[in-house]
C-alpha cells in the first residue's frame, strides 16, 4: 500500500507537493510526510516550503473572512427566490458554518415572518 502511495507522490509536480505540505489538515498524515520527503529529495529550498505553508494559511483566513462578511441581498431574492427563501427559513447552522452576518439576517427575517403569519391568523379569525 505504501509503495503505491509513494509512487503516486513521486509522479506529482513540485507545486502539487507544495500544496500538500502547505495545507496538511486537508491530507492524510502519511501523504504529508511522503510529500515532504519527496520535496527534500528534490532539493526544494526550505524557504519555499515555508512560503507554501504561509500562503495556505493566508488563503484560509481570507476564505473565512469572506464567508463572515457574506450576507443576503435583494438580488438573492430576485435571482433565486425559492432557494434563498428555503435557506433563510430552514437552515439552522449558518453561524456554525462561518456565516455570522447571514445568521443575524436570518434571525430578523424569521421574526418578521412570524409577525406576518400572526397578523394573517388574527385577520382571518376576525373575518
Amino acid at each position: 500500500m505504501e509503495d503505491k502511495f509513494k509512487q503516486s507522490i513521486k509522479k506529482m509536480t513540485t507545486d502539487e507537493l507544495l500544496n500538500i505540505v502547505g495545507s496538511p489538515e486537508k491530507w492524510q498524515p502519511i501523504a504529508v510526510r511522503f510529500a515532504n520527503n519527496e520535496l527534500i529529495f528534490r532539493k526544494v529550498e526550505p524557504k519555499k516550503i515555508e512560503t507554501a505553508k504561509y500562503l495556505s494559511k493566508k488563503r484560509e483566513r481570507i476564505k473565512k473572512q469572506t464567508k463572515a462578511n457574506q450576507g443576503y441581498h435583494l438580488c438573492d431574492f430576485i435571482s433565486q427566490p425559492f432557494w434563498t427563501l428555503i435557506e433563510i427559513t430552514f437552515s439552522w447552522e449558518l453561524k456554525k458554518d462561518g456565516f455570522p452576518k447571514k445568521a443575524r439576517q436570518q434571525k430578523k427575517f424569521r421574526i418578521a415572518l412570524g409577525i406576518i403569519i400572526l397578523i394573517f391568523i388574527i385577520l382571518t379569525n376576525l373575518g
Side-chain angles (χ1 to χ4, degrees):
M1 168 98 174
E2 283 189 17
D3 289 335
K4 289 181 182 179
F5 211 76
K6 284 181 185 179
Q7 293 305 318
S8 62
I9 291 288
K10 288 182 185 236
K11 292 178 184 176
M12 291 182 170
T13 66
T14 301
D15 287 337
E16 290 171 328
L17 295 172
L18 286 170
N19 184 28
I20 293 171
V21 172
S23 53
E25 65 281 350
K26 296 179 182 178
W27 299 89
Q28 293 179 10
I30 193 168
V32 176
R33 190 180 53 189
F34 284 151
N36 197 36
N37 290 343
E38 184 63 23
L39 287 170
I40 292 169
F41 178 75
R42 293 182 188 184
K43 297 182 177 147
V44 175
E45 296 177 28
K47 187 170 184 164
K48 198 168 187 178
I49 297 170
E50 290 302 316
T51 302
K53 290 177 183 179
Y54 169 77
L55 291 175
S56 176
K57 287 178 184 174
K58 187 172 184 176
R59 270 187 238 108
E60 276 301 311
R61 282 194 309 266
I62 290 171
K63 187 177 175 182
K64 284 181 183 178
Q65 189 65 31
T66 302
K67 283 175 73 173
N69 292 331
Q70 195 174 10
Y72 294 107
H73 300 283
L74 182 60
C75 297
D76 295 332
F77 290 98
I78 294 170
S79 65
Q80 296 179 332
F82 178 75
W83 293 114
T84 303
L85 189 61
I86 292 294
E87 180 181 331
I88 207 167
T89 306
F90 297 110
S91 180
W92 297 102
E93 302 289 326
L94 287 174
K95 193 168 186 174
K96 285 183 183 178
D97 291 339
F99 296 100
K101 186 175 181 180
K102 278 187 170 185
R104 287 190 305 272
Q105 290 174 326
Q106 180 187 47
K107 186 177 181 181
K108 292 175 186 175
F109 177 81
R110 285 181 176 166
I111 291 170
L113 185 64
I115 291 170
I116 290 169
I117 290 172
L118 187 63
I119 289 171
F120 181 74
I121 290 171
I122 291 171
L123 290 176
T124 55
N125 287 334
L126 288 177

